[in-house]
Amino acid sequence: MAVNVAKLYNTFLKYPFGKQAFSLAFSLFAPYFLTIRPSVNDLKPGFSSVSMKQRWGVQNHIKTVHAIAVCNLVEMSMGLVAESTIPNHLRWLPMGMDVAYKKKATGQLTATSTIDANTFFTLEKYPGMVKVPVIVTNAEGVEVTTAEVRLWISEKPAQK
């Protein structure tokens, strides 16, 4: 049985500290996400927004957020938008990402991913590749990183 992650997010929002609880719960499915202490800001089919704060544990030698921590934020935003949008008969697997570091990443960072919820995963044939765009901005709204995450999309095997 597949979990509708957007519906689950909305269920968590009904409770005190719901966003924090959902962020932690989602991170437990891929524990490496916990290293950035993410906070899911918004989630719906076709859109995700996830933030992290700069702190000592994610800094590099020049006191900016480490590139791999930013990539972790990118991957979480991509994973949420993919999970909340992909049709039930399909599955996805990340195959790589192309990342452009445009400015020094400092302070609070927010990754957003926007795709067309109705058509994004519609391919001429399966399996096939799609590219999920993710933009990372700082607290001032300045783009610090852009990324495209390549996903391999295939049909789920038939249930026996």
Side-chain angles (χ1 to χ4, degrees):
M1 178 172 120
V3 174
N4 181 325
V5 73
K7 188 175 181 180
L8 187 62
Y9 174 75
N10 287 324
T11 299
F12 271 77
L13 291 181
K14 296 175 185 176
Y15 300 97
F17 306 104
K19 282 186 179 185
Q20 296 90 330
F22 177 84
S23 299
L24 176 61
F26 188 82
S27 295
L28 290 174
F29 282 101
Y32 191 68
F33 288 142
L34 292 170
T35 63
I36 63 169
R37 297 181 187 163
S39 177
V40 178
N41 305 315
D42 196 8
L43 177 61
K44 56 190 165 213
F47 181 78
S48 70
S49 174
V50 184
S51 293
M52 65 175 285
K53 293 180 181 174
Q54 181 178 358
R55 58 184 175 76
W56 180 83
V58 295
Q59 285 185 167
N60 57 26
H61 64 290
I62 58 171
K63 296 197 180 356
T64 63
V65 177
H66 194 283
I68 298 305
V70 176
C71 286
N72 205 3
L73 183 65
V74 164
E75 190 170 10
M76 185 166 176
S77 183
M78 173 283 303
L80 283 164
V81 80
E83 276 299 309
S84 69
T85 309
I86 197 163
N88 288 334
H89 71 286
L90 299 176
R91 60 186 178 177
W92 60 271
L93 180 68
M95 300 299 289
M97 68 171 75
D98 297 310
V99 183
Y101 304 105
K102 302 170 93 175
K103 302 266 185 193
K104 288 182 179 179
T106 58
Q108 180 163 311
L109 303 177
T110 301
T112 57
S113 184
T114 304
I115 59 177
D116 185 318
N118 297 314
T119 62
F120 187 80
F121 290 106
T122 303
L123 305 177
E124 287 186 27
K125 68 176 193 157
Y126 298 96
M129 189 81 65
V130 297
K131 294 180 181 179
V132 178
V134 182
I135 297 170
V136 180
T137 57
N138 62 19
E140 290 76 38
V142 175
E143 274 187 20
V144 297
T145 304
T146 57
E148 282 188 329
V149 184
R150 293 183 307 282
L151 300 182
W152 188 248
I153 307 301
S154 62
E155 294 180 301
K156 291 179 180 174
Q159 297 277 339
K160 291 183 181 183

